[in-house]
Amino acid sequence: MSVRLISKPRRIIYPSRRFSHSLADPSSPKWKYVPKSGTYPQGFSASGIHCGVKKDGKTLDLALLTSSIPATAAAVFTKNVFKAAPVVLSRQTLDARNGAGIRSIIVNSGCANAVTGKGGFEDATEMASTVDKLLGERDPSTIVMSTGVIGQRLPITKIISGIPTALRSAGSDHDSWMNAAKAICTTDTFPKLASRAFTLPGTKPGTEYRIAGMTKGAGMIHPNMATLLGFMATDAPVSPSALQQILQHAVGRSFNAISVDGDMSTNDTVALLANGAAGGTDAIQVGTPAFGDLVEIIAEFSEELAKLVVRDGEGATKFVTVRVVDALSFEDAKQVASTIARSPLVKTALFGRDANWGRILCATGYSGIDSIEPTRTNVSFVPTDGSAELKLLVNGEPENVNEARASEILEMEDLEIRVSLGTGGGQEAAYYTCDFSHE
């Protein structure tokens, strides 16, 4: 009897940030996007602690945001069919409260609590109810988020034991908010936190409002919805119906206008809380001058946060804005921009510093909108240093491209691809993406 020896194939592991947590390296060039101070809304406290979800014994993995008074709340969730337990529970809570009376957001990283069945839903419920009890709330008033590995149950005992510590350590200073931003990270290489102050028309003169927010994400980034976690808080007073409209408008132009790798997560949630602690007016309603201004302020702020996610895209070396102008509608412009931003051929060409505008034009052509006219279409590279754009295609006719200038632009970390559809409609949209590197 002969024995045939079958050699086991070698397992080749390619380097990837998915398998390591590099957040602790502030020497990374991308830490230039991490703020050293902030302006934080009144009545909110934040914290980030290590409770044991992550097994290294030190990495922050539990974040808590609380409002000293009940806040109105709005959220947008993933459209993935396999919605994680926290997504299902949070939607139920917001629906039951009609977007009012929310006190807190609790987030764990390291485990997504997704595809975990009835037990996973019970774990999410226990997380929320524990916070509610500590805050003295009888009815559900906590939004839950989880991020990390799919298909594993939470170490719920560790999380529940850590929640009192998270509440005791919560503060309103920059370090407290920064700890929360660190605690929601998984494969991120830097914490993503932003804040700003603003004023609104129709409010008491001299009233300053503030907004702060954080987000996480580096992989599995592609809408529809946001393919990440994020939450924002403002001390402006806003009605529930107005807040939901404001958030939906903002998400469509920010978290729903980014793509890294084309994968949509099971846990995506972006939430916005408004507690009115700064006063100055009654709750802002739809149609008022303050509402119109707040729509734009939140959209711009959300865009700032969403861009940070793209900058941290796994393996990315470039931040690319795809801007489509002169479309018949915002929807048309966004569809074309999205198609270009998601094209693997475009993204690999950008990494290879290849001015192959044919790939851009090809993606424009199969985007699916009806108003594209080849003889009116223009394509350009726009450098971010303020120098002149490099025209590649003008009214359907190819330009004699200066290859040296194209190479200079494509060497830049930031650049813009601009496509003009020439319809006369005057509408535009931007989409934010990155290149595809070897990693």
Side-chain angles (χ1 to χ4, degrees), residues 259-292:
S259 184
V260 171
D261 50 25
D263 273 328
M264 185 199 307
S265 169
T266 55
N267 290 58
D268 313 332
T269 304
V270 171
L272 172 61
L273 270 59
N275 67 3
T281 185
D282 295 330
I284 294 168
Q285 304 291 336
V286 176
T288 62
F291 172 80

Side-chain angles (χ1 to χ4, degrees), residues 326-329 332 336 368-374 376-377 421-423:
D326 202 13
L328 289 180
S329 66
D332 279 358
V336 174
I369 69 169
D370 298 327
S371 57
I372 295 175
E373 170 53 56
R376 294 199 298 263
T377 302
L421 299 183
T423 67

Side-chain angles (χ1 to χ4, degrees), residues 205-275:
T207 302
E208 178 186 81
Y209 298 108
R210 299 178 178 185
I211 184 170
M214 62 191 71
T215 186
K216 63 82 51 185
M220 293 188 78
I221 304 298
H222 182 69
N224 196 344
M225 204 276 305
T227 50
L228 42 74
L229 298 185
F231 52 90
M232 299 170 282
T234 179
D235 52 17
V238 190
S239 69
S241 59
L243 198 68
Q244 187 66 39
Q245 288 193 35
I246 288 169
L247 182 62
Q248 287 177 331
H249 175 89
V251 165
R253 288 154 176 79
S254 58
F255 296 109
N256 240 4
I258 60 176
S259 184
V260 171
D261 50 25
D263 273 328
M264 185 199 307
S265 169
T266 55
N267 290 58
D268 313 332
T269 304
V270 171
L272 172 61
L273 270 59
N275 67 3

Side-chain angles (χ1 to χ4, degrees), residues 345-346 348-360 379 381 390-392 399 401-410 415:
L345 291 180
V346 171
T348 50
L350 289 168
F351 174 68
R353 302 175 181 85
D354 179 5
N356 191 340
W357 55 264
R359 297 182 176 186
I360 300 169
V379 179
F381 287 149
L390 178 64
K391 296 181 179 180
L392 307 170
E399 293 289 282
V401 177
N402 183 330
E403 296 292 342
R405 178 57 179 152
S407 180
E408 286 178 3
I409 295 174
L410 291 172
L415 69 130

Side-chain angles (χ1 to χ4, degrees), residues 42-117:
Q42 298 180 47
F44 286 100
S45 296
S47 67
I49 68 164
H50 172 76
C51 72
V53 181
K54 294 174 181 173
K55 298 178 175 60
D56 63 1
K58 60 181 180 180
T59 304
L60 305 183
D61 54 16
L62 186 66
L64 179 65
L65 176 72
T66 64
S67 175
S68 60
I69 55 178
T72 56
V76 181
F77 300 99
T78 181
K79 292 187 178 180
N80 195 305
V81 172
F82 293 98
K83 294 175 177 60
V87 170
V88 177
L89 177 65
S90 296
R91 184 189 291 275
Q92 289 181 2
T93 299
L94 287 174
D95 288 347
R97 300 298 298 251
N98 292 315
I102 299 300
R103 288 290 307 279
S104 59
I105 298 174
I106 184 77
V107 188
N108 77 271
S109 60
C111 178
N113 192 12
V115 199
T116 46

Side-chain angles (χ1 to χ4, degrees), residues 294-317:
L294 194 57
V295 165
E296 296 309 314
I297 289 167
I298 301 297
E300 290 177 5
F301 186 74
S302 299
E303 185 178 290
E304 179 181 351
L305 286 173
K307 287 179 177 179
L308 294 176
V309 175
V310 177
R311 291 193 180 278
D312 202 20
E314 290 185 346
T317 69

